[in-house]
Amino acid sequence: MMPDDPFSNRTEDFLNKALKAGVGSLPVVGSALAEFFNFVVVDPAQERRDDFLRETMERLVALQDNHDQLSAEALRSNEAFQATMLQAARLATSTASAEKRELLQNAVLNSAIGTIDENVRQIFLEMIESMTPMHVVLLKFLSNPKESPEAVASAKSIMMGSMEHVITAALPKVTEDKELFRRLVGDLYRFGLTTRDSFGGMQSGGDSLLNPATTQIGRGLLNFIERPD
């Protein structure tokens, strides 16, 4: 017989039980502290996990008519999908970002629909764990700056300038904190997702300021986290 809650007794529950036991063993205040910890940390984390799993499965069911790979029989034999689901659920539990949880859902669905090398899949999930939605927004822009009307208008108005000016025109919130922006750029370059570690250098204006700056692995990651149809 199937349990009432198909998301109970997951791997995360064993971790939560261990944490509860550790807090509960503290002298004097252990019991009260454990109750407080469960209420403010453990229970909400489990709710995020369960919500993530339910929403992912709802999206999967909605796509089944368009993809034979999403049948129950196909998914049962798809180890990449199963591994991605488990890893993504763990990551979803530990993030407060709804945008990041959606990216993780996309990764789960794409791992089911397509094929991906296991090494690449693991690397992509490690990257996603370290990245913020702002990283992804910048990476998407750098994959095709010409898709942004603001970027195109900015590039055409500049005779000599930097690509950072064009990025600012398209993504002002990404560049308003210069220190944070430099960190984002550096992270993407360090991950091997982009071809440049800085966009502040002067160059001629026009189309030269709209050249893509993503690597093959960067484009692959974007495909992995793109919302599937």
Side-chain angles (χ1 to χ4, degrees):
M1 181 180 296
M2 292 292 290
D4 292 336
D5 182 2
F7 305 122
S8 63
N9 297 323
R10 300 290 179 174
T11 302
E12 293 84 352
D13 293 332
F14 294 103
L15 174 60
N16 292 335
K17 288 177 181 177
L19 290 171
K20 291 177 184 178
V23 174
S25 66
L26 295 175
V28 184
V29 297
S31 178
L33 184 58
E35 184 176 350
F36 177 79
F37 179 78
N38 295 339
F39 180 73
V40 302
V41 177
V42 175
D43 293 345
Q46 290 179 343
E47 289 173 6
R48 285 196 299 273
R49 178 207 63 190
D50 293 350
D51 288 344
F52 174 84
L53 291 170
R54 289 191 180 95
E55 290 168 5
T56 303
M57 293 307 298
E58 288 171 359
R59 290 182 58 188
L60 187 153
V61 170
L63 291 170
Q64 279 183 326
D65 289 343
N66 298 329
H67 302 279
D68 293 339
Q69 303 94 320
L70 298 182
S71 69
E73 293 76 12
L75 293 176
R76 182 176 176 82
S77 61
N78 189 333
E79 292 184 350
F81 160 74
Q82 296 160 12
T84 305
M85 174 69 93
L86 292 173
Q87 291 172 271
R90 175 181 62 82
L91 297 178
T93 301
S94 59
T95 180
S97 169
E99 293 91 342
K100 187 162 184 174
R101 288 194 290 271
E102 182 176 356
L103 295 175
L104 289 166
Q105 288 180 0
N106 294 345
V108 171
L109 296 173
N110 285 322
S111 71
I113 294 171
T115 57
I116 184 170
D117 178 83
E118 175 61 13
N119 296 298
V120 175
R121 187 192 69 81
Q122 291 190 40
I123 290 171
F124 281 170
L125 284 170
E126 289 176 3
M127 289 180 178
I128 295 170
E129 182 174 10
S130 300
M131 293 171 67
T132 67
M134 192 173 285
H135 281 97
V136 177
V137 168
L138 179 57
L139 183 63
K140 285 183 177 179
F141 171 81
L142 294 174
S143 70
N144 189 2
K146 289 183 178 180
E147 281 192 343
S148 167
E150 294 83 3
V152 172
S154 175
K156 288 182 177 180
S157 69
I158 297 174
M159 294 188 62
M160 286 290 295
S162 70
M163 191 170 179
E164 185 172 331
H165 288 97
V166 175
I167 297 173
T168 298
L171 306 172
K173 290 185 178 180
V174 172
T175 62
E176 63 182 355
D177 184 328
K178 298 303 180 184
E179 186 174 347
L180 176 59
F181 174 66
R182 287 193 294 270
R183 172 61 185 268
L184 296 173
V185 171
D187 286 346
L188 294 178
Y189 182 75
R190 177 169 55 84
F191 289 148
L193 302 175
T194 58
T195 58
R196 296 173 60 174
D197 62 354
S198 172
F199 294 97
M202 298 294 288
Q203 60 188 88
S204 59
D207 285 347
S208 65
L209 292 173
L210 298 170
N211 291 328
T214 48
T215 62
Q216 181 176 345
I217 194 170
R219 294 186 291 274
L221 177 62
L222 288 175
N223 290 334
F224 188 59
I225 58 177
E226 187 71 25
R227 187 178 182 90
D229 298 322

